[in-house]
Amino acid sequence: MAEVTLTIDGQRVTVPEGITVLEAARRAGIFIPTLCQDDRLSPWGGCRLCVVEIKGMRGLPASCVTAVAEGMVVETASPAVIEARKEILSLLLANHPQDCLTCSKSGDCRLQDYAYLYGVRGDEYQGERHNYPLEEDNPFFIRDMNKCILCGKCVRACAEVQGRSAIDFAYRGFNTRVTPPLDVTLREAGDCVFCGNCVQVCPVGALTEKQRLWQGREWEFKKVRSICSYCGVGCNITLYVKDGRVVKVTGYENPEVNNGWLCVKGRFGFDYIHSSERLTRPLIRTGERGSGQFREASWEEALDLVAEKLREIKEKHGPESLGVLCSAKCTNEENYLLQKLARGVLGTNNVDHCARL
Ligand code: FES
C-alpha cells in the first residue's frame, strides 16, 4: 500500500495513503477531540470539534473527513484551533441542560470531558433553549432530546449497523431534531427494534438505559468483560456491576465478533440474573401438568428420573420418538456431548439448537 509522509505538531509521520488526518494523528499518539466520529460508522464531519490547521488550506478542516497528503503540515492544537473548539463547545452548551449533578451520563460524557479540558463553563451565551418532553414510553431507554448535540451517531448506527433507519434528522436550524418519521415516539413509529446501539454510541446523556437509572455513577461501576449467553454468536459484552448486581450491559468492541454492537436481548435482557424466580436447583413436578406443583430435588435424583423416563419412552415408542434440543447457553463442547448422547445413547438423530429460533 502506498504511503505518505506528513508533519503533525512538528512530528514526521508516515502512514498509509487514504487515511484521515485524525487517524494519522492517533497513530502518532496525538490527541484530537471528537464527538461525531466513530471508526465503525461512515464519516460525518458534523460536530467540527476535530478541526485542525493545515498549512496552505483555507479555514480549519475537520480532521475526521480530511485525507492525509504527502508533505502536509498539520497543527492540532494551535491557538486558532483551540479557540475554535472552545467556541463550538460554548455553542453546544448554550442549549444543553446544565444538570451534570444528576445526569446518569456524568463521568462518561464526552461533552463534559471536553468542556473540562478546554475550560468552557457553558455560560458564555444566553439564549433560547429547547424544552422537549422526555420520551419514556418504551421499556428500554429514555430519549432526552434536550441533551442531544445532533452528532448523528445514533442515526448512522441505526441505518448502517442495524439496518432499520428508524430515526433521522427532522426540521431545520435551531429546531433540528433526531426523530422517527412523523415525529412520533420510537414505540409508536414501530420501526425500532430497541437494540440500543444508538444508546451505546450516544456521546452525551440524550439516550439512557432505564435499568441503570439511579443505580450509581459511572465511575462506581466495576466493568466485567463477558460473553452474551443468548445465542451462538457469542457477542462480547461488558457488564457494569455495583454491589454485586449487574445494572447495565454494553457491547465490547471486539472486531472479531460483534465490534461492540448488540441486540435487544443481549443489551437489555439481563434482569434474569438477579430474578427471584431464577431456578437454582432441579425441580420435580409433584402435581398434574400445569398445576405448578414442584419439589426441590438433588441433581442425582433429577437425572435418574429423566433417564428412567427416556428409557420408558424409547422402549414404548422407539428412539425416533425422542428429540434433543441443545442450547446456545452451553459451550460448544457441551453441545457436542449432548448430540453424542442423542445419537450414541438415545439412538436418535433428532437434534436441534435454540440458536436457530
Ligand atoms: Fe470530526 Fe465531528 S469528530 S467533525
Side-chain angles (χ1 to χ4, degrees), residues 77-90:
S78 67
V81 166
I82 300 297
E83 198 48 44
R85 289 187 191 146
K86 285 184 171 181
E87 186 67 8
I88 291 164
L89 290 168
S90 296

Side-chain angles (χ1 to χ4, degrees), residues 216-228:
R217 312 311 307 251
E218 284 292 321
W219 56 88
E220 295 178 309
F221 299 145
K222 184 177 164 198
K223 294 181 188 171
V224 182
R225 195 172 161 189
S226 189
I227 304 288
C228 177

Side-chain angles (χ1 to χ4, degrees), residues 22 33-37 44-51 62-65:
L22 174 68
T34 59
L35 281 172
C36 70
Q37 190 273 344
W44 172 254
C47 76
R48 315 303 292 179
L49 201 65
C50 67
V51 289
S63 61
C64 71
V65 287

Side-chain angles (χ1 to χ4, degrees), residues 24 94 102 174 234 253 282 333:
T102 52
F174 180 70
E253 287 186 32
E333 290 78 5

Side-chain angles (χ1 to χ4, degrees), residues 130-176:
H130 292 303
N131 189 20
Y132 298 125
L134 294 184
E135 185 180 312
E136 310 181 83
D137 65 344
N138 74 74
F140 306 107
F141 56 89
I142 293 175
R143 296 179 78 235
D144 182 355
M145 289 301 99
N146 300 300
K147 293 181 180 171
C148 176
I149 58 169
L150 300 175
C151 69
K153 286 172 85 172
C154 55
V155 174
R156 281 173 284 153
C158 190
E160 297 169 13
V161 179
Q162 201 60 31
R164 301 300 295 177
S165 298
I167 45 175
D168 209 335
F169 293 103
Y171 305 107
R172 305 291 294 272
F174 180 70
N175 294 320
T176 304

